Amino acid sequence: MGGTAALLSLLLVFFSGLATIHGYGVGSRGGKDHSGRYLDHRMRKLEATKAAFLSQNAVSPSPSSATAAPSSPRIYRVTSYGADPSGQSDSTDAILKAISDAFQAPNGRELMPGIPDLGGSQVHLEGGTYKISQPLRLPSSGGGNFMIHGGSLHASDDFPTDRHLIELWPSSSSKLKLDEEEPRSPAQEAFSSSYEFITLKDLLLDSNSRGGGVSVINSLRTTIDNCYIAHFTSDGILVQGGHETLIKNSFIGQHITAGGDPGEKNFSGVGITLAGNDNVVTDVVIFSAGVGIMVAGQANTLTGVHCYNKATGWGGTGIYVRLPGLSQTRILNSYLDYTGIVAEDPVQLVISGTFFLGDAFVLLKSVKGVISGVTVVDNVFSGSDKGVDIVQLDQSNAPFSTVDQVVVDRNNARGMRVRSTVGRGSTQGNGTTLTVDFSDVLLFPDMIKHAQYTLLPDETGSSSFFNHALRNTSGNRVVVETDSEVPAKIYVWVDQNSALG
C-alpha cells in the first residue's frame, strides 16, 4: 500500500509538469505549430492513462476512518482517573482504580496456571508526583505481564508504618519476621503465587519515614529497574519467597546523602532483603541503611553492588548472609565501602573480584559451627594500617568444628593484614629442628590439615645423608626434625582443608 501511494504521488507530479509545459511552453505564441499539435495528442493519451491508473488504484479508507475502530491501547494514565500529579491531594484511590482496570485480563490467556496474562498493560504515572496514604497493593485476583512506571510516589504523613508503597502481596501469604531466632527458609513458606512478570520501572519512591518501598512476596519473575527508593524505615525492597526477582540499576537509601553524613551512626533499616530463592541484584547502590543487603534465601547473586550505607565502625553491615547452612550466595565484582560482609555458618558462599575500602572486611560467623564450600579469592582490600585482618572469624557462639572446602587465597591488601587458608613459607637453620610459623597468616587457629615440605641441605655442609620428619603442626607452626645437626633450608606449603584441592 505504501509503495502504491508513493508511485501515485510521483505520477501526479509528472502529469502536473507536463500540463505546465503544454500551457506555457512550446506552442504558446498564438498559433499551434507542429510541436503544439504533437503535445495535444500526447496530453490526451496521458490524461486517459492517468484516469485509468486512478480507477485501478483507488485508495480505500484507512482502518482508523472505518466504522469499527480498533480497541484502545492498554495504557492507563493515572491523571485520567483524577490523580493529582502535583502531589498536593491524595491520589491513592485514583491510582488503585487505574491498577484495577489494568488487571482486567483481555484475552483469557495465562502465564503460570492461575495467573492471567494482562497483555502488557501499563499504569503510567506520566512524570507526576503523587501522594498516597495507603499501599498500592496489586489486586488479589492476580496477574502478570504488567508494568507501573514513569513517576514519583510519596507516602503521606498518615501512611501505615508497617507497610510498603507498592505491594505484590498475595492474600494467602504472610510476611517473614526477620527477627525470629532462626529465619525460615523459602521452602518453609507456603507458596501460592498470584503475580508473574511484573515490572516496576523508572520510579522514585519516598516512604516519608513511614515503612518501606516495595514488597515482593511469593511472586515470579519480577523486575525492579531504575528506581530510587528513599526515607524507608523497614526495607527499601523486601523480597520473600517466590523466584527470580531482578533488582537492577537502582539507588536505595534511608537518608539522601553522598557519604560523610553526620547522622550516619543512626542509620537503620535494610536496603534490600532477599528472603527467597534465585534472585539477582545487579548494579545497585545502597547509600544509607543499617544493613545494605540482607540475604536470607538460597542461590542469590549480587554483582556490581556498591554499599556505603553504614560503616562497620558505627555497627553497620554492607551485606549480611543470614540463612545458616543454606547460603549458596555469590557476591561478585562489588564494592564494600567502609562496610563489610557478614556470613553466618556459610555453605557454598563465593566472594570474588570485590573491592573493600576503609578497613572493610569479611566476617565468618559461627552459629552451629559449620563452614563449607566457601571461596574468598581475588579480592582487593585497602585499609589504614591499623592491622585489621581482611577475613575474620566470630566463634563466640561455637567454634567452627566442621571446616570443609574453604579457600581464602589470592587476595591482596594494603594497610590491612592478609589472612588465608593456604600458607607458603620457608626458613633456614643449622641444627636438628626447623620451624615455620604460619600463625600470622592462616585463618583458622591451630588448624593445619595438610602440609608438605622440602628440605635442602646447605651446599657447604655435610654431604652425608640424614633422616628428617615432620614432627608437629600445632599452633599453626610446622616443625621438622633431623637426626643430626645440619645447615639446611626448608620450604613448607600448608592447607587448612582436609584434603588437597
Side-chain angles (χ1 to χ4, degrees):
M1 185 63 188
T4 301
L7 178 58
L8 176 59
S9 177
L10 288 172
L11 283 171
L12 290 174
V13 171
F14 177 66
F15 292 142
S16 176
L18 283 178
T20 302
I21 295 173
H22 176 62
Y24 301 100
V26 179
S28 61
R29 293 182 181 178
K32 291 190 176 181
D33 59 14
H34 177 75
S35 298
R37 290 193 299 274
Y38 175 77
L39 284 174
D40 282 340
H41 173 71
R42 295 298 300 163
M43 283 302 301
R44 284 194 297 273
K45 289 192 69 173
L46 286 171
E47 289 291 344
T49 304
K50 172 182 174 182
F53 181 85
L54 291 174
S55 175
Q56 294 173 8
N57 296 277
V59 180
S60 59
S62 66
S64 61
S65 63
T67 303
S71 58
S72 60
R74 304 197 68 233
I75 299 177
Y76 299 84
R77 301 181 184 278
V78 295
T79 57
S80 300
Y81 290 81
D84 175 12
S86 72
Q88 298 301 308
S89 59
D90 193 305
S91 296
T92 307
D93 291 341
I95 299 176
L96 284 174
K97 183 62 170 67
I99 293 173
S100 177
D101 285 355
F103 262 67
Q104 303 305 309
N107 51 32
R109 295 189 180 93
E110 290 185 331
L111 299 176
M112 288 289 287
I115 301 181
D117 180 359
L118 303 179
S121 62
Q122 302 177 20
V123 168
H124 200 326
L125 299 183
E126 306 175 77
T129 297
Y130 304 92
K131 180 169 66 175
I132 60 174
S133 56
Q134 294 292 325
L136 301 180
R137 186 169 181 175
L138 301 194
S140 59
S141 58
N145 195 5
F146 165 76
M147 177 189 293
I148 301 176
H149 67 105
S152 301
L153 299 173
H154 291 252
S156 65
D157 291 339
D158 56 351
F159 190 91
T161 57
D162 60 346
R163 302 290 293 274
H164 294 73
L165 294 181
I166 300 176
E167 296 183 344
L168 283 67
W169 184 3
S171 56
S172 59
S173 299
S174 60
K175 279 189 177 180
L176 177 70
K177 295 181 179 178
L178 285 177
D179 56 355
E180 292 176 348
E181 182 175 345
E182 186 170 320
R184 292 171 286 175
S185 71
Q188 294 171 301
E189 293 288 328
F191 180 76
S192 178
S193 181
S194 297
Y195 310 112
E196 180 181 5
F197 188 30
I198 304 294
T199 300
L200 307 177
K201 186 176 181 181
D202 303 336
L203 299 172
L204 185 148
L205 305 179
D206 187 336
S207 299
N208 192 25
S209 300
R210 298 190 62 82
V214 179
S215 61
V216 181
I217 300 178
N218 282 354
S219 299
L220 295 172
R221 292 176 275 276
T222 302
T223 298
I224 300 173
D225 182 11
N226 192 36
C227 290
Y228 188 111
I229 302 174
H231 298 141
F232 53 85
T233 54
S234 53
D235 313 89
I237 299 173
L238 168 64
V239 178
Q240 178 185 330
H243 292 277
E244 298 161 344
T245 294
L246 305 183
I247 304 170
K248 59 182 182 177
N249 306 325
S250 293
F251 303 90
I252 300 171
Q254 184 184 45
H255 301 281
I256 297 178
T257 177
D261 194 293
E264 182 176 340
K265 63 181 179 181
N266 298 316
F267 289 176
S268 62
V270 180
I272 299 173
T273 296
L274 298 177
N277 292 356
D278 311 334
N279 306 296
V280 178
V281 179
T282 305
D283 298 334
V284 168
V285 175
I286 314 289
F287 55 83
S288 69
V291 176
I293 301 177
M294 176 76 74
V295 182
Q298 298 169 253
N300 293 291
T301 301
L302 315 179
T303 181
V305 172
H306 182 192
C307 293
Y308 62 99
N309 46 298
K310 183 178 182 178
T312 299
W314 294 117
T317 304
I319 300 172
Y320 201 120
V321 183
R322 193 175 175 202
L323 197 62
L326 295 172
S327 309
Q328 297 176 335
T329 299
R330 288 150 291 166
I331 303 172
L332 310 172
N333 302 324
S334 293
Y335 178 9
L336 278 297
D337 194 343
Y338 281 80
T339 185
I341 297 174
V342 177
E344 295 182 351
D345 275 7
V347 172
Q348 293 188 315
L349 168 68
V350 176
I351 303 172
S352 182
T354 292
F355 178 46
F356 295 79
L357 179 67
D359 290 325
F361 57 88
V362 177
L363 178 66
L364 306 175
K365 185 175 182 179
S366 173
V367 177
K368 296 182 179 179
V370 176
I371 181 170
S372 176
V374 173
T375 302
V376 183
V377 299
D378 300 328
N379 301 288
V380 177
F381 296 80
S382 179
S384 55
D385 294 315
K386 295 179 181 178
V388 176
D389 291 343
I390 64 171
V391 181
Q392 302 178 19
L393 303 178
D394 180 351
Q395 302 186 86
S396 57
N397 291 323
F400 280 116
S401 55
T402 301
V403 179
D404 176 52
Q405 300 180 75
V406 178
V407 178
V408 180
D409 196 19
R410 302 201 313 266
N411 301 293
N412 72 75
R414 295 186 66 183
M416 299 179 71
R417 188 164 61 176
V418 174
R419 287 288 186 174
S420 177
T421 57
V422 178
R424 305 163 186 82
S426 63
T427 191
Q428 190 165 1
N430 187 10
T432 58
T433 301
L434 295 167
T435 301
V436 180
D437 189 350
F438 292 97
S439 60
D440 286 338
V441 176
L442 294 179
L443 177 63
F444 296 95
D446 198 16
M447 182 184 294
I448 293 178
K449 296 292 186 69
H450 197 97
Q452 293 180 337
Y453 74 91
T454 300
L455 194 148
L456 296 177
D458 193 319
E459 293 180 358
T460 61
S462 172
S463 61
S464 61
F465 288 98
F466 54 91
N467 296 315
H468 51 87
L470 176 64
R471 288 297 191 186
N472 201 337
T473 61
S474 63
N476 285 340
R477 295 175 176 85
V478 174
V479 178
V480 174
E481 290 187 5
T482 62
D483 62 353
S484 60
E485 290 188 1
V486 57
K489 190 169 187 177
I490 186 172
Y491 298 90
V492 182
W493 176 88
V494 295
D495 191 347
Q496 296 196 303
N497 287 287
S498 57
L500 282 172

